[in-house]
Amino acid sequence: QVQLVESGGGLVQAGGSLRLSCAASGRTFSPYAMGWFRQAPGKEREFVTAIRWSGGYTFYTDSVKGRFTISRDNAKNTVYLQMNSLKPEDTAVYYCAAELSGTTYYTRSTEYEYWGQGTQVTVSS
């Protein structure tokens, strides 16, 4: 069993920055990929970004390219999401997720086996 715990959310003004962390614990942790998703009120959960654990290849949804950066620390079993130039439309609950079996469909939430509890990010205008 894998546990994922997010932290780092909060309230920030538009144009500001936040860094989210997602720490994994439990069984020997060797995911194929880690992803960040978000869900705004009244909307479906959407893909934000993902990183291949081996090799560090990254993938981003268009709306965050150039503003968000995903990274990982293999030794700490932690993935980070650096969010810069935040916009009010980035307001959502952010979830990290782990994909263990191997997939090329990083944008699909159904591909991920483990999820964190979520952390709220609120961007004021």
Side-chain angles (χ1 to χ4, degrees):
Q1 190 74 9
V2 173
Q3 292 81 40
L4 303 177
V5 179
E6 300 103 333
S7 60
L11 173 64
V12 64
Q13 288 188 332
S17 299
L18 283 174
R19 190 174 86 149
L20 307 183
S21 300
C22 174
S25 62
R27 55 174 276 184
T28 301
F29 190 66
S30 182
Y32 185 76
M34 294 289 293
W36 286 96
F37 290 75
R38 64 187 181 187
Q39 187 166 17
K43 295 187 176 181
E44 293 187 351
R45 189 170 298 188
E46 65 171 356
F47 170 79
V48 178
T49 179
I51 186 167
R52 283 269 299 274
W53 204 248
S54 175
Y57 303 105
T58 57
F59 311 87
Y60 296 92
T61 192
D62 287 346
S63 63
V64 307
K65 285 180 181 177
R67 300 189 298 121
F68 290 12
T69 302
I70 189 172
S71 62
R72 86 258 190 255
D73 185 329
N74 296 45
K76 295 182 178 180
N77 288 341
T78 299
V79 63
Y80 304 98
L81 180 60
Q82 177 66 44
M83 304 185 294
N84 299 328
S85 302
L86 282 161
K87 304 175 181 180
E89 51 263 44
D90 295 318
T91 295
V93 177
Y94 283 70
Y95 299 90
C96 71
E99 201 288 314
L100 274 60
S101 58
T103 183
T104 56
Y105 300 106
Y106 301 107
T107 64
R108 296 181 182 178
S109 61
T110 53
E111 296 292 314
Y112 293 78
E113 290 92 345
Y114 295 97
W115 291 82
Q117 81 287 352
T119 185
Q120 177 70 45
V121 171
T122 303
V123 185
S124 62
S125 57

